[in-house]
């Protein structure tokens, strides 16, 4: 059985930990490898390598760090097909979708290559007579990233280039369900010239997460995952004196106004709800149909749900691949059961969906519910599967209230042709990322990514300017120099006083 190793101090290693966890091929349902789960000795080995290299890395000029990141960027582009193949094999998403994820991750590297610019401080001359003041941003030390299964390349790349460009050492603890891509990334950074110990990968499950959260030498933790774990990570990490940004789950609503271009909205919702089998934190899982548009919207969505091409991710012509594990598929199907029991109208039922030749794969079809209400479990819980819930609202105000009362506030969108409605929505909606006729409004790398409410715990969003702030400490210097030698040469014998 293939063992997926850690990457510690520039080397692949199976480490000291004896536990292993199965890594499935979700399209066939078979175990394709096992990941070595680290123990505290493995974490200590990584910390010790990082401790040794940190002073030198922190003192390395930002431009030198940036030049390494330029090479990393080129290598990621060169290896994009291999990275996409690894993502697809372990996660199950389609190859074109996986390539898109690699590109979005690469964009964060591109932003981080601007290290000399993004680390510039502020300067005020003459804050008082003969006194100047300035600020500088310095690295925190050793930071860690704990990442989810659904973006095995993009999410580690939301974090690592930012941490490294700003002079930190970084340890990734990837999802144990698709851990290979992080190791590939670490090898790419090494090939680009990154010193050993600056970027490392230590695998594990909750035990490793807790060891990271409690380790006194880890100064910051960047987490992305489900809301209950994000809450735990934030509470434990901050209780141990760390800076924590913990991005959680989501229930993203799209408001569909009667004046929208309905065909375009249906196209957008089809991709946003069922693409990547709904396993995206920015997936649209609730469409709020306003007024008379509802029937036409449901009919058109149903037609699309029934005709999606579903199959293994390696076939790039498929629209949607399998779910990540058999347990997750069971959970999604149980939630669909609950929707039926609680009285929602199941317009398209994706529960039984067998792919010929892949009978053991973790597939479901796309599901579509109509007449969903706030009391239903399918509305309250993040399903994280290919299930779209349609709710009906009589007017814009009711629809907006619904979005704002959701405990989640990751992304949201509105489909309309009216600028005033769109502006009113963007101004008043309680969510961190907002789309206007854009279904998945993931900010570009030079902006920052993050939700509100139960979708983010901590003060900083991910990457972009917020990422620079998260991974650095601010230092303010106030400086006065006594009179120097401006007076010119002295010819008499110097004396004290
Ligand atoms: P998860 O919360 O199960 O796992 C995330 C990480 O936490 C993994 O590395 C895992 O090993 C670790 N972990 C799991 N259980 C733990 C426990 N009990 N204690 C400590 N650590 C634990 O999430 P997932 O299923 O891998 O990913 C899907 C979730 O991530 C969804 O909820 C999705 O919305 C969310 N997500 C959010 C964003 C965002 O930007 N807000 C982005 C991607 C995914």
């Amino acid at each position: 059985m293939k063992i997926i190793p850690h990457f510690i101090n520039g080397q692949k290693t199976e480490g000291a930990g004896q536990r292993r966890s199965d890594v499935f091929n979700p399209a066939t349902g078979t175990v394709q490898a096992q990941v070595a789960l680290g123990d505290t000795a493995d974490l200590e080995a990584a910390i010790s390598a990082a401790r040794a290299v940190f002073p030198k890395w922190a003192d390395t000029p930002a431009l030198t760090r940036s030049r390494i990141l330029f090479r990393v960027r080129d290598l990621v582009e060169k290896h994009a097909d291999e990275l996409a193949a690894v993502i697809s094999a372990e996660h199950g998403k389609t190859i074109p979708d996986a390539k898109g994820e690699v590109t979005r991750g690469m964009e964060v590297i591109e932003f981080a290559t601007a290290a000399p610019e993004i680390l510039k401080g502020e300067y005020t001359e003459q804050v008082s007579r003969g006194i100047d003041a300035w600020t500088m941003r310095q690295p925190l030390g050793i930071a860690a990233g704990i990442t989810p299964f659904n973006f095995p390349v993009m999410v580690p790349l939301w974090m690592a280039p930012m941490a490294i460009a700003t002079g930190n050492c970084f340890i990734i603890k990837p999802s144990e369900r698709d851990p290979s891509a992080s190791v590939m990334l670490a090898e790419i950074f090494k090939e680009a010239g990154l010193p050993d110990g600056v970027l490392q990968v230590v695998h594990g499950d909750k035990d490793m997460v807790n060891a990271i959260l409690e380790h006194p030498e880890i100064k910051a933790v960047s987490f992305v995952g489900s809301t209950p774990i994000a809450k735990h990570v934030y509470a434990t990490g901050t209780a141990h004196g760390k800076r924590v940004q913990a991005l959680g789950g989501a229930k993203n609503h799209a408001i569909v106004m009667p004046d929208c271009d309905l065909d375009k909205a249906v196209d957008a919702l089809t991709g946003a709800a069922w693409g990547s089998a709904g396993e995206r934190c920015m997936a649209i899982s609730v469409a709020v149909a306003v007024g008379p548009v509802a029937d036409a919207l449901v009919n058109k969505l149903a037609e699309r749900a029934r005709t999606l091409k579903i199959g293994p991710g390696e076939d790039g012509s498929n629209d949607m691949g399998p779910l990540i594990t058999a347990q997750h598929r069971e959970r999604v199907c149980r939630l669909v059961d609950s929707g039926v029991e609680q009285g929602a109208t199941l317009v398209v039922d994706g529960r039984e969906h067998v792919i010929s030749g892949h009978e053991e794969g973790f597939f479901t079809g796309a599901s579509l519910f109509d007449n969903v209400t706030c009391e239903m479990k399918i509305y309250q819980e993040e399903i994280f599967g290919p299930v779209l819930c349609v709710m009906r609202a009589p007017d814009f105000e009711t629809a907006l209230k619904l979005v704002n009362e959701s405990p989640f506030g990751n992304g949201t969108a509105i489909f309309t042709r009216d600028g005033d409605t769109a502006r009113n929505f963007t101004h008043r909606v309680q969510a961190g990322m907002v789309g206007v006729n854009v279904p998945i409004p993931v900010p570009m790398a030079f902006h920052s990514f993050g939700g509100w409410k139960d979708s983010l715990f901590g003060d900083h969003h991910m990457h972009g300017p917020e990422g620079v702030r998260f991974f650095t400490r601010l230092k303010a210097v106030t400086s006065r120099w006594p009179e120097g030698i401006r007076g010119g040469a002295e010819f008499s014998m110097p004396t004290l006083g």
Side-chain angles (χ1 to χ4, degrees):
M1 179 63 68
K2 179 184 160 200
I3 303 291
I4 299 164
H6 311 282
F7 192 86
I8 297 176
N9 201 14
Q11 303 298 325
K12 289 199 233 178
T13 166
E14 290 185 19
Q18 295 300 306
R19 291 192 302 133
R20 304 280 182 261
S21 178
D22 290 342
V23 176
F24 288 87
N25 176 340
T28 60
T30 51
V31 176
Q32 56 175 322
Q34 287 193 318
V35 58
L37 300 180
D39 65 13
T40 47
D42 299 309
L43 182 60
E44 285 307 333
I47 300 269
S48 146
R51 186 193 303 130
V53 74
F54 173 68
K56 203 168 159 211
W57 183 244
D59 260 1
T60 300
L63 187 57
T64 307
R65 299 201 292 255
S66 158
R67 285 181 180 148
I68 293 173
L69 288 167
F70 269 108
R71 289 195 289 274
V72 172
R73 183 246 170 253
D74 287 349
L75 287 169
V76 167
E77 190 174 46
K78 184 175 155 198
H79 295 292
D81 288 348
E82 289 154 67
L83 282 165
V86 167
I87 296 170
S88 177
E90 291 183 0
H91 173 285
K93 68 176 75 173
T94 65
I95 294 278
D97 193 23
K99 282 188 186 163
E101 148 169 17
V102 173
T103 302
R104 294 308 297 259
M106 199 169 72
E107 288 163 3
V108 181
I109 307 171
E110 287 165 350
F111 176 73
T113 59
E117 172 66 24
I118 60 188
L119 284 168
K120 272 182 185 166
E122 294 174 318
Y123 193 97
T124 311
E125 187 191 22
Q126 197 76 343
V127 290
S128 182
R129 286 183 197 288
I131 300 181
D132 305 323
W134 73 91
T135 58
M136 58 178 99
R137 293 207 159 265
Q138 294 191 331
L140 304 172
I142 306 172
I146 298 160
T147 58
F149 79 82
N150 65 326
F151 285 108
V153 163
M154 185 181 78
V155 172
L157 287 180
W158 280 356
M159 306 167 176
M162 300 304 306
I164 288 168
T166 50
N168 299 278
C169 292
F170 196 65
I171 298 171
I172 303 175
K173 201 303 285 171
S175 168
E176 62 276 39
R177 291 184 258 178
D178 46 15
S180 292
S182 285
V183 180
M184 268 188 82
L185 285 174
E187 289 182 286
I188 285 174
F189 276 76
K190 180 178 166 106
E191 191 185 338
L194 191 73
D196 291 349
V198 176
L199 177 65
Q200 304 181 87
V201 179
V202 179
H203 299 292
D205 53 16
K206 62 180 186 337
D207 293 349
M208 181 57 74
V209 171
N210 291 330
I212 288 171
L213 293 174
E214 289 166 16
H215 201 291
E217 284 182 82
I218 295 179
K219 301 299 176 200
V221 173
S222 190
F223 171 89
V224 178
S226 57
T227 290
I229 312 297
K231 273 186 186 165
H232 163 72
V233 165
Y234 184 73
T236 313
T238 52
H240 285 82
K242 295 181 202 323
R243 190 177 283 196
V244 180
Q245 54 177 184
L247 278 62
K251 197 83 190 174
N252 304 313
H253 299 60
I255 296 183
V256 182
M257 294 299 291
D259 70 336
C260 75
D261 180 329
L262 190 57
D263 286 331
K264 286 213 171 99
V266 167
D267 266 345
L269 289 174
T270 300
W274 297 305
S276 204
E279 291 173 328
R280 289 181 182 140
C281 66
M282 289 292 275
I284 294 291
S285 47
V286 182
V288 188
V290 173
V293 76
D295 287 341
L297 176 71
V298 170
N299 290 338
K300 283 174 184 276
L301 284 170
E303 199 183 313
R304 300 298 294 270
R306 289 193 190 102
T307 52
L308 284 182
K309 192 161 174 254
I310 302 169
E314 66 197 8
D315 175 351
S317 71
N318 284 323
D319 298 318
M320 179 181 127
L323 289 163
I324 184 74
T325 56
Q327 292 87 331
H328 187 51
R329 184 187 53 189
E330 284 314 303
R331 178 178 175 272
V332 169
C333 292
R334 275 202 312 275
L335 279 162
V336 175
D337 296 344
S338 81
V340 176
E341 283 152 23
Q342 290 189 294
T345 314
L346 185 56
V347 184
V348 181
D349 183 354
R351 284 174 292 187
E352 296 297 327
H353 195 99
V354 178
I355 306 287
S356 161
H358 289 78
E359 288 77 4
E360 304 303 315
F362 309 141
F363 291 95
T364 68
S367 292
L368 175 68
F369 275 113
D370 192 6
N371 299 309
V372 174
T373 58
C374 295
E375 305 72 43
M376 295 176 181
K377 232 169 135 180
I378 47 169
Y379 179 70
Q380 289 170 354
E381 289 192 21
E382 181 184 38
I383 302 175
F384 220 56
V387 182
L388 178 62
C389 296
V390 176
M391 303 178 85
R392 293 173 178 238
D395 51 36
F396 170 73
E397 285 300 324
T398 315
L400 179 64
K401 188 162 176 277
L402 197 65
V403 182
N404 285 348
E405 285 178 355
S406 167
F408 297 104
N410 214 39
T412 186
I414 190 163
F415 292 90
T416 180
R417 283 195 175 99
D418 181 46
D420 173 55
T421 308
R423 188 186 179 281
N424 195 285
F425 177 72
T426 54
H427 182 60
R428 292 168 62 207
V429 76
Q430 304 285 308
M433 295 169 282
V434 183
V436 175
N437 298 316
V438 171
I440 304 189
V442 175
M444 295 296 287
F446 32 91
H447 292 275
S448 300
F449 180 109
W452 288 11
K453 301 189 268 184
D454 280 0
S455 295
L456 190 147
F457 303 89
D459 304 315
H460 293 94
H461 289 199
M462 197 71 70
H463 64 65
E466 289 272 286
V468 178
R469 288 180 204 118
F470 180 75
F471 284 114
T472 54
R473 289 193 284 194
L474 194 65
K475 189 183 274 181
V477 181
T478 306
S479 165
R480 170 163 60 193
W481 288 95
E483 196 178 316
I485 56 167
R486 266 182 297 136
E490 300 267 353
F491 292 98
S492 50
M493 187 69 175
T495 55
L496 280 180

